Amino acid sequence: MRTHKCGELTKQHTGQTVELCGWVHRRRDHGGVIFIDLRDRTGLVQVVFDPDVHEAFSLAEHVRSEYVLKVKGSVRGRPEGTINPNMGTGEIEVLVSEMVVLNESETPPFPVESEIEVNEELRLRYRYIDLRRFAMQEKMKVRRDVARVLRNFLDDHEFFEIETPYLTKATPEGARDYIVPSRTHENAFFALPQSPQLYKQILMVAGMDRYYQIVRCFRDEDLRADRQPEFTQLDVETSFMDEDEIMHIMEEMIRQLFQKVIGVNLGAHFPRMTYQEAISKYGIDRPDLRIPLELVDIAEDMKNVDFKVFSAPANDPQGRVVAMRLPKGGDLSRKEIDDLTKFVGIYGAKGLAYIKVNDLSAGVDGLQSPIVKFAPAEVWDSVLAKTGAQNGDLIFFGADKASIVNEAMGALRVKLGHDLGLLEGEWKPVWVVDFPMFAWDEKSRRYAAIHHPFTAPKCSIEELQANPGEALSRAYDLVLNGTEVGGGSIRINRPAMQRAVFEILGIKEDEAREKFGFLLDALKYGAPPHGGLAFGLDRLVMLMTGSTSIRDVIAFPKTQSAACPLVSAPAVVPEEQLRELGIKLVKQPGKEKA
Amino acid sequence: MRTHKCGELTKQHTGQTVELCGWVHRRRDHGGVIFIDLRDRTGLVQVVFDPDVHEAFSLAEHVRSEYVLKVKGSVRGRPEGTINPNMGTGEIEVLVSEMVVLNESETPPFPVESEIEVNEELRLRYRYIDLRRFAMQEKMKVRRDVARVLRNFLDDHEFFEIETPYLTKATPEGARDYIVPSRTHENAFFALPQSPQLYKQILMVAGMDRYYQIVRCFRDEDLRADRQPEFTQLDVETSFMDEDEIMHIMEEMIRQLFQKVIGVNLGAHFPRMTYQEAISKYGIDRPDLRIPLELVDIAEDMKNVDFKVFSAPANDPQGRVVAMRLPKGGDLSRKEIDDLTKFVGIYGAKGLAYIKVNDLSAGVDGLQSPIVKFAPAEVWDSVLAKTGAQNGDLIFFGADKASIVNEAMGALRVKLGHDLGLLEGEWKPVWVVDFPMFAWDEKSRRYAAIHHPFTAPKCSIEELQANPGEALSRAYDLVLNGTEVGGGSIRINRPAMQRAVFEILGIKEDEAREKFGFLLDALKYGAPPHGGLAFGLDRLVMLMTGSTSIRDVIAFPKTQSAACPLVSAPAVVPEEQLRELGIKLVKQPGKEKA
């Protein structure tokens, strides 16, 4: 139906007769002539209707925004002075000789051509209008490019794309599973996968060697800003590689991805950092390394000070006391510091102590803070030296349970970094390694897996059992600008180790058998050493397009209340259909339409 | 962990030191030396343990089938006379200097190395063993190649891969939907998509221009041999192309697919056939053109014969009378013909009349059949001429309601073609076009859509409404060797036409509004002309690998009772979880474990 796309015409096409299809982006009548910016996925081109071409002109007179047109015409250079350098096709225009209106359009609920902000509910309900906007077209394009580059890389590296089932069995964290009744099985349910973790391990046992899949995952949970009930993962698993080899090849993939899709060079070698170092310096296991602020431990200095707020956590094995230097932070107003105090309160911090460094040469007198008096000068000397303080700086302090200090000061660090424009460099990837195997959960009085129960430890069964809390895992997370974009591990490939881990996690033998019997069986029949990774595709695309909402990088996302305003899902289902599935509603819907 | 893959070693590697990982496929002890065929995804290689290399040798003595090994050794040519031409690596072997047992294996429930047939339930339960077998590895490889070639083709032709939701709204044929309760929405359910049909149309309205997706589809229905609860489709949609352009580009894609993946040339141009011709000649809209048998209409000849079995349907507008010539079929025994009579009985045929053509020169006397006497010689002359009968042939007859004749004689044609080895050529693609828009359903006394309600007709609204039964659609099916591998159509892109079609289908306005309101809305805002296609990926791979079961081309399929013996899905769900979802079981499970 067309010879060219709108956005691809250039001066080189001058003199050619072309046929184009597209939408009326803008229409202007000027000097008796009608100008239409015609739009398709590739961009805009100006098409011109001259009154001399009577038929097309009189059709064009009735054309409005978002009408779908087919035009035939000849490409000509624009007259001097009307060239538009902001438009890819700005040097030319198409003088129309024939036109067909392929479809009409009512006035859209919001304009396509302007970038004015529109209520998100409306955008999602009329997603077909929203997706016509250039910003959204660009995001969808990046998303498809991301999938394509990842696939090509993995195909070229002998990874086999293999599909795993969506109708499967409830997973360990079963409460968040979506479950699916079926007509064929009374009282039994499928579950939608939270990830294909066990299937990909089974594929390794099956000798598939290298596997990948761009796959949907499902989680029925309360939604946060960057979560969706269904989200997309790049899932990768390989046999016969250790963690270094896996990190190396995945790093190369991500490097190529950024280079090819958005022209960004992430650097020849991604740094590695232990979990311990990340928590120590940044309070978090996904540090944003663009922010040049660091937590510095000062518990040693504070053990004997006459200030319980500091000395108590400094002497508590579960406590932590840190200082964080904000260069030139001395300019912060009282109000600004009050706001920051409120901010750290969100994370449970009971206050936010600080010192303004006015004049280092004046000793303690050069320090401005209500807390200076609580400790002798040599303590402050030591703290200032550890933080590397300069005149004009501000030092913040955090002192509490370690978990609160880490969360509060970690968040404060990120907030200051962004609010004060301190970011250094645009892209800072880092591998975080040497995670603990388990975290002790006070509430349930047992260990929980930091990654998942299939992650291999760095130690032997005996060492693991002797001291589970100290054991490190063979897991690795890829963090980019403070976002965890991917994570994975070497997996357990022997039944004895898998059973030992289940035991430490308090999973009883019959429960393990019922839930993971097939995995324990599979490990008995020659399971190769294997490991892998999963990347959050939505998050990667968010980062690469600079999007603040995950909903902007998904063609048809759910709202924050997990609904789809476009098709009106979820919806009521006829009672008869439920009966066929062997289920009924707990609360009968009363007068509601069933 | 390795320098090479097992199957890639050749004479060129002679003298090199290599490291390999893999499974023990076979082990032989011969002349004091241990030979192991080591297997990975790429194939087998013979590794040799000499007693001189003491450590490795003594380890190898304890190695059994399916153990996972890492070996280091040097490649050497095999001695004259021990070269194995049936093995890719049959000219060389690896003399082992070091070995590590990476994992042990119990004796597998069935052997990997032999191709003996194994009960399917067992294969599925131990899928990780089953998938190690060469035949299955090959099928998975073809499947990944298929996806890859299709993706590359579509990427190169500017189709954008876009993901559509799996948690969506019930579709028209809602009864077969899998539905999904959620914690966030009381009494409302998502549905898993039977296809992304409406989403891809919405993407066209959104100006995405060309879309594709390799996507899972779901249908909760009674399973036939070649059906699965979840199956995979290559889903394609494009704007601004008519049916000829779409068939042209898709045909090129399928041609490249067969060429690149299995080296088959499907021919420069796929023939096209109208629905009418397909039914007339083959009794079915997906004819297997490899079979050189055709139905020939002989109602005109039989209208006045003295044999009601023929004359009644010949005079019934709903009836059909056909002859089908089986060349050299005169050899068929009485028993064979009896069996065929039973066979057509499955399809409702009340009998299977036939004539043996013994001697054409003898006129009626040369014909052998109890039915010859019922019609005059000139009738048989005409029938013989129409079928092109030769001496030694057998002519079968079908006479009944047209639907019964078509099904029974169509099936007979296929059966004879396969059983008697009549297939001509290996691959016979054909486009079937000019389908009717609607089929009249006697039971519900209304029209049903032959494709789906979004298919565009070839005629105007007025013509459609005047005579729905005669209207043809702009649909097209791609048929290969009697299998429908793909189908699609140009879609309706104007609200008035869509409403007219809903009306003819007896979908009331409020029902249309409730189910398809968003589509009707979308068509109002500048919906471009668009159309597309969906290919059954599983079926394509079945055809290309010569598989007889769809379960053989899916890594983790469900059984014919829609269960997964590997993970034991579906499964009972704790009552508490159901309560959180606002549902309960109709039949309480009694003593069963909840």
Side-chain angles (χ1 to χ4, degrees):
Chain A
M1 290 177 72
R2 55 188 168 181
T3 58
H4 292 77
K5 309 285 169 57
C6 297
E8 69 188 22
L9 293 180
T10 67
K11 249 174 134 169
Q12 304 214 313
H13 297 91
T14 306
Q16 288 185 29
T17 298
V18 298
E19 292 178 89
L20 304 170
C21 293
W23 284 261
V24 174
H25 192 65
R26 249 187 242 107
R27 180 187 139 176
R28 292 181 311 285
D29 297 27
H30 186 71
V33 175
I34 298 173
F35 296 88
I36 287 176
D37 285 346
L38 197 67
R39 184 192 69 237
D40 66 17
R41 197 181 66 188
T42 62
L44 295 174
V45 66
Q46 177 166 294
V47 299
V48 184
F49 297 81
D50 193 291
D52 291 348
V53 185
H54 184 69
E55 201 179 342
F57 184 85
S58 59
L59 275 171
E61 282 186 307
H62 297 95
V63 150
R64 295 188 305 169
S65 278
E66 301 308 314
Y67 272 42
V68 190
L69 308 184
K70 179 182 172 179
V71 300
K72 185 175 179 177
S74 59
V75 181
R76 66 180 186 191
R78 292 200 197 181
E80 199 67 47
T82 66
I83 286 172
N84 182 348
N86 300 320
M87 200 168 164
T89 61
E91 291 186 298
I92 55 97
E93 61 189 14
V94 177
L95 182 65
V96 176
S97 57
E98 288 172 40
M99 166 167 103
V100 182
V101 175
L102 293 173
N103 212 347
E104 301 176 351
S105 174
E106 295 186 6
T107 304
F110 51 87
V112 172
E113 92 278 9
S114 87
E115 294 297 319
I116 59 157
E117 220 171 292
V118 178
N119 168 288
E120 196 179 32
E121 180 88 10
L122 201 66
R123 285 178 56 199
L124 293 181
R125 181 158 165 218
Y126 296 95
R127 192 61 158 178
Y128 41 88
I129 304 294
D130 190 40
L131 285 174
R132 286 184 195 168
R133 299 175 126 196
F134 285 126
M136 291 304 291
Q137 295 257 328
E138 181 59 25
K139 288 180 207 286
M140 292 302 117
K141 187 178 171 307
V142 169
R143 188 175 180 117
R144 89 98 183 219
D145 290 344
V146 165
R148 193 178 178 183
V149 170
L150 293 173
R151 280 213 171 85
N152 287 343
F153 180 91
L154 290 162
D155 286 341
D156 291 347
H157 287 78
E158 299 177 64
F159 286 82
F160 272 26
E161 187 182 5
I162 300 174
E163 294 172 82
T164 55
Y166 284 127
L167 294 173
T168 175
K169 196 187 177 182
T171 39
E173 318 91 295
R176 291 162 168 188
D177 280 340
Y178 282 103
I179 61 167
V180 185
S182 76
R183 301 192 306 167
T184 16
H185 299 273
E186 198 168 81
N187 294 355
F189 296 80
F190 291 107
L192 301 179
Q194 294 189 31
S195 91
Q197 179 63 33
L198 293 181
Y199 285 107
K200 68 176 177 174
Q201 292 192 231
I202 292 290
L203 286 171
M204 294 302 102
V205 180
M208 299 311 301
D209 213 301
R210 294 185 183 184
Y211 143 94
Y212 82 92
Q213 190 181 190
I214 293 184
V215 63
R216 213 71 57 82
C217 302
F218 303 86
R219 213 173 288 168
D220 186 9
E221 64 185 344
D222 304 325
L223 301 171
R224 292 190 241 149
D226 62 344
R227 289 271 172 91
Q228 282 277 307
E230 50 180 314
F231 53 97
T232 302
Q233 237 175 238
L234 169 67
D235 199 45
V236 179
E237 195 82 1
T238 172
S239 300
F240 308 122
M241 280 198 199
D242 64 22
E243 46 269 63
D244 276 335
E245 292 172 299
I246 292 177
M247 283 189 270
H248 180 79
I249 194 169
M250 290 293 104
E251 179 175 321
E252 179 57 28
M253 178 181 77
I254 295 296
R255 198 161 21 236
Q256 287 194 17
L257 177 70
F258 276 73
Q259 187 66 57
K260 288 184 177 173
V261 177
I262 55 170
V264 162
N265 179 2
L266 290 182
H269 182 69
F270 295 180
R272 292 191 192 173
M273 182 180 290
T274 65
Y275 172 85
Q276 202 45 59
E277 183 184 354
I279 297 291
S280 163
K281 284 190 180 165
Y282 311 108
I284 196 168
D285 59 1
R286 43 181 172 83
D288 187 341
L289 296 188
R290 296 171 304 171
I291 301 166
L293 307 178
E294 284 187 13
L295 313 188
V296 177
D297 275 297
I298 55 166
E300 281 308 314
D301 302 293
M302 296 299 174
K303 280 196 164 154
N304 301 312
V305 300
D306 198 16
F307 185 42
K308 257 199 121 186
V309 171
F310 281 15
S311 63
N315 288 293
D316 177 357
Q318 309 289 331
R320 193 174 182 201
V321 185
V322 301
M324 181 173 71
R325 168 188 167 231
L326 177 64
K328 301 192 183 114
D331 300 340
L332 257 58
S333 69
R334 181 68 213 213
K335 162 108 183 35
E336 285 169 316
I337 294 177
D338 282 350
D339 288 346
L340 295 174
T341 308
K342 273 182 213 148
F343 175 78
V344 296
I346 300 171
Y347 301 91
K350 288 185 278 292
L352 181 60
Y354 64 91
I355 290 180
K356 283 192 179 177
V357 182
N358 290 336
D359 182 2
L360 283 171
S361 65
V364 174
D365 293 339
L367 303 179
Q368 178 188 340
S369 167
I371 66 167
V372 171
K373 59 175 178 278
F374 293 122
E378 58 267 31
V379 165
W380 298 123
D381 285 347
S382 167
V383 167
L384 291 173
K386 281 181 181 169
T387 58
Q390 306 287 326
N391 287 343
D393 290 354
L394 191 71
I395 317 277
F396 287 111
F397 295 90
D400 209 315
K401 293 269 170 218
S403 57
I404 291 177
V405 169
N406 290 336
E407 269 205 64
M409 296 302 283
L412 177 64
R413 175 180 169 272
V414 171
K415 184 177 169 58
L416 291 172
H418 281 91
D419 288 359
L420 305 181
L422 306 178
L423 304 196
E424 290 180 351
E426 269 198 282
W427 301 98
K428 291 278 175 77
V430 58
W431 285 106
V432 180
V433 297
D434 288 350
F435 286 85
M437 277 291 282
F438 308 106
W440 179 256
D441 182 39
E442 271 303 328
K443 240 189 275 174
S444 61
R445 305 288 306 160
R446 63 184 188 188
Y447 285 108
I450 292 265
H451 277 81
H452 55 56
F454 319 109
T455 305
K458 284 193 145 180
C459 58
S460 69
I461 293 189
E462 295 71 28
E463 291 166 320
L464 188 74
Q465 288 169 328
N467 202 345
E470 296 290 301
L472 299 183
S473 74
R474 298 176 68 185
Y476 33 81
D477 279 3
L478 180 59
V479 174
L480 181 57
N481 295 356
T483 297
E484 183 204 324
V485 294
S489 63
I490 300 297
R491 326 299 183 184
I492 295 166
N493 76 323
R494 288 169 188 264
M497 178 63 90
Q498 188 65 70
R499 272 194 299 266
V501 168
F502 283 154
E503 205 183 305
I504 290 167
L505 292 170
I507 301 175
K508 297 206 187 68
E509 197 155 330
D510 54 344
E511 188 190 348
R513 190 77 236 147
E514 194 196 320
K515 284 191 177 162
F516 310 116
F518 67 102
L519 176 69
L520 290 169
D521 281 347
L523 298 184
K524 289 192 302 197
Y525 295 108
H530 63 286
L533 222 98
F535 292 92
L537 196 83
D538 309 296
R539 286 198 202 171
L540 271 175
V541 179
M542 277 177 74
L543 277 171
M544 295 172 79
T545 56
S547 302
T548 50
S549 162
I550 193 173
R551 295 180 295 284
D552 274 358
V553 299
I554 297 176
F556 301 106
K558 305 286 186 293
T559 60
Q560 276 184 276
S561 57
C564 174
L566 172 69
V567 302
S568 305
V572 169
V573 160
E575 218 181 305
E576 188 195 329
Q577 193 175 346
L578 296 183
R579 208 163 34 235
E580 269 188 41
L581 294 167
I583 59 173
K584 57 184 177 182
L585 301 177
V586 171
K587 289 191 197 171
Q588 287 308 314
K591 281 180 213 156
E592 284 173 49
K593 194 174 173 189
Chain B
M1 290 177 72
R2 54 189 168 181
T3 59
H4 292 77
K5 309 284 167 60
C6 297
E8 69 188 21
L9 294 180
T10 66
K11 252 173 129 168
Q12 304 214 312
H13 297 92
T14 305
Q16 290 186 27
T17 297
V18 297
E19 292 178 87
L20 303 170
C21 292
W23 284 260
V24 175
H25 192 65
R26 250 187 240 107
R27 178 190 140 175
R28 291 182 312 283
D29 296 26
H30 186 70
V33 175
I34 297 173
F35 297 89
I36 285 175
D37 286 345
L38 197 66
R39 185 191 69 236
D40 66 17
R41 197 181 67 187
T42 63
L44 294 174
V45 67
Q46 177 167 293
V47 299
V48 184
F49 297 82
D50 194 288
D52 291 348
V53 185
H54 184 69
E55 201 181 342
F57 184 84
S58 60
L59 275 171
E61 281 186 307
H62 298 96
V63 149
R64 295 187 305 167
S65 279
E66 301 308 314
Y67 271 43
V68 190
L69 309 184
K70 179 181 173 179
V71 300
K72 186 173 179 178
S74 60
V75 181
R76 66 181 186 192
R78 293 200 197 180
E80 199 68 47
T82 66
I83 285 172
N84 182 350
N86 300 321
M87 201 167 162
T89 60
E91 292 185 296
I92 56 96
E93 61 189 14
V94 176
L95 181 65
V96 176
S97 56
E98 289 172 38
M99 167 167 102
V100 181
V101 175
L102 294 173
N103 213 346
E104 302 177 351
S105 175
E106 295 188 6
T107 304
F110 50 89
V112 173
E113 92 278 8
S114 88
E115 294 297 318
I116 60 158
E117 222 173 290
V118 178
N119 167 289
E120 196 180 32
E121 180 87 11
L122 202 64
R123 286 178 55 200
L124 294 181
R125 182 157 163 217
Y126 296 95
R127 192 59 157 180
Y128 42 88
I129 305 293
D130 191 39
L131 285 173
R132 286 183 194 168
R133 299 175 124 196
F134 286 127
M136 291 303 291
Q137 294 257 330
E138 180 59 25
K139 287 180 208 286
M140 291 302 117
K141 186 178 172 308
V142 169
R143 188 175 179 119
R144 89 99 185 218
D145 290 345
V146 165
R148 193 177 177 182
V149 170
L150 293 173
R151 280 214 171 87
N152 286 343
F153 181 91
L154 291 162
D155 286 340
D156 292 346
H157 287 79
E158 299 178 64
F159 287 81
F160 272 27
E161 188 181 7
I162 301 174
E163 294 172 82
T164 55
Y166 284 126
L167 293 172
T168 175
K169 196 189 179 182
T171 40
E173 317 93 297
R176 291 162 167 188
D177 281 340
Y178 282 104
I179 61 167
V180 185
S182 76
R183 301 193 304 167
T184 14
H185 299 273
E186 196 167 84
N187 294 354
F189 296 79
F190 290 107
L192 301 179
Q194 295 190 31
S195 90
Q197 180 63 35
L198 293 180
Y199 284 108
K200 68 177 176 173
Q201 293 193 229
I202 292 290
L203 286 172
M204 295 302 103
V205 180
M208 298 311 300
D209 212 299
R210 294 185 182 184
Y211 143 95
Y212 83 92
Q213 190 182 190
I214 293 184
V215 63
R216 212 72 56 81
C217 302
F218 304 86
R219 213 173 289 167
D220 187 9
E221 65 185 344
D222 303 326
L223 301 171
R224 293 189 240 148
D226 60 344
R227 289 272 173 90
Q228 282 279 307
E230 49 180 314
F231 53 97
T232 303
Q233 237 174 240
L234 169 66
D235 199 45
V236 179
E237 196 82 3
T238 172
S239 299
F240 307 122
M241 282 198 198
D242 63 23
E243 47 269 64
D244 276 335
E245 292 172 298
I246 292 176
M247 282 188 269
H248 179 79
I249 193 169
M250 291 293 103
E251 180 175 322
E252 180 57 27
M253 177 181 77
I254 295 295
R255 198 162 22 237
Q256 288 194 16
L257 177 70
F258 276 72
Q259 188 65 59
K260 290 186 176 174
V261 178
I262 56 170
V264 162
N265 179 1
L266 290 181
H269 182 71
F270 296 180
R272 293 191 191 174
M273 181 180 291
T274 65
Y275 172 86
Q276 202 47 57
E277 183 183 355
I279 296 291
S280 164
K281 284 190 179 166
Y282 311 107
I284 196 167
D285 59 2
R286 44 180 173 85
D288 187 341
L289 297 188
R290 295 171 306 173
I291 301 166
L293 307 178
E294 283 187 12
L295 312 189
V296 177
D297 275 296
I298 55 165
E300 280 308 314
D301 301 292
M302 296 299 176
K303 281 199 163 151
N304 301 312
V305 299
D306 198 15
F307 184 43
K308 261 203 115 182
V309 171
F310 281 17
S311 63
N315 287 291
D316 177 358
Q318 310 288 329
R320 192 174 182 198
V321 186
V322 300
M324 182 173 71
R325 169 188 167 230
L326 178 64
K328 304 195 181 108
D331 299 341
L332 257 58
S333 71
R334 182 66 214 211
K335 162 103 183 41
E336 287 171 314
I337 294 177
D338 283 350
D339 287 346
L340 294 174
T341 308
K342 272 181 213 148
F343 175 78
V344 296
I346 300 170
Y347 302 91
K350 289 185 279 290
L352 180 60
Y354 64 90
I355 290 179
K356 283 192 177 176
V357 182
N358 290 335
D359 182 2
L360 283 171
S361 66
V364 175
D365 292 341
L367 302 179
Q368 179 188 337
S369 166
I371 67 166
V372 170
K373 59 175 180 275
F374 293 123
E378 58 267 30
V379 164
W380 298 122
D381 285 347
S382 168
V383 167
L384 292 173
K386 282 182 179 168
T387 58
Q390 305 287 325
N391 287 344
D393 290 355
L394 190 72
I395 317 277
F396 287 111
F397 295 91
D400 210 315
K401 293 270 171 215
S403 58
I404 291 176
V405 169
N406 290 335
E407 270 205 64
M409 297 302 283
L412 178 64
R413 175 180 167 272
V414 171
K415 183 177 170 59
L416 291 171
H418 281 92
D419 288 359
L420 305 180
L422 305 177
L423 304 195
E424 292 181 349
E426 270 199 281
W427 300 98
K428 290 279 175 76
V430 56
W431 286 105
V432 179
V433 296
D434 287 351
F435 286 84
M437 277 291 282
F438 308 107
W440 179 254
D441 182 40
E442 271 302 329
K443 240 189 277 175
S444 60
R445 305 287 306 159
R446 63 183 187 188
Y447 285 108
I450 292 265
H451 277 81
H452 55 55
F454 319 109
T455 305
K458 285 192 142 178
C459 59
S460 68
I461 293 190
E462 295 70 28
E463 291 165 319
L464 187 76
Q465 287 171 328
N467 202 343
E470 296 291 301
L472 298 182
S473 73
R474 299 176 68 183
Y476 33 81
D477 278 2
L478 181 59
V479 174
L480 182 58
N481 294 357
T483 297
E484 184 204 321
V485 294
S489 63
I490 300 296
R491 327 299 183 184
I492 296 167
N493 77 323
R494 287 168 189 264
M497 178 64 91
Q498 188 63 70
R499 273 194 298 266
V501 167
F502 284 154
E503 204 183 307
I504 290 167
L505 292 170
I507 301 175
K508 297 205 187 68
E509 198 155 327
D510 55 344
E511 188 190 348
R513 189 78 234 151
E514 194 195 320
K515 284 191 176 162
F516 310 116
F518 67 101
L519 177 69
L520 290 169
D521 280 347
L523 297 185
K524 289 193 300 197
Y525 294 108
H530 64 285
L533 222 97
F535 292 92
L537 196 84
D538 310 295
R539 287 199 200 171
L540 271 174
V541 179
M542 278 177 74
L543 278 171
M544 295 172 79
T545 56
S547 302
T548 51
S549 161
I550 192 172
R551 294 180 296 284
D552 275 358
V553 299
I554 296 175
F556 301 106
K558 305 287 187 294
T559 60
Q560 278 185 277
S561 57
C564 174
L566 172 69
V567 302
S568 306
V572 169
V573 159
E575 218 181 304
E576 188 195 328
Q577 193 176 349
L578 296 182
R579 209 165 30 235
E580 267 188 40
L581 295 166
I583 58 173
K584 57 184 176 182
L585 301 177
V586 172
K587 288 189 197 171
Q588 288 307 315
K591 280 180 214 156
E592 284 173 50
K593 193 173 170 189

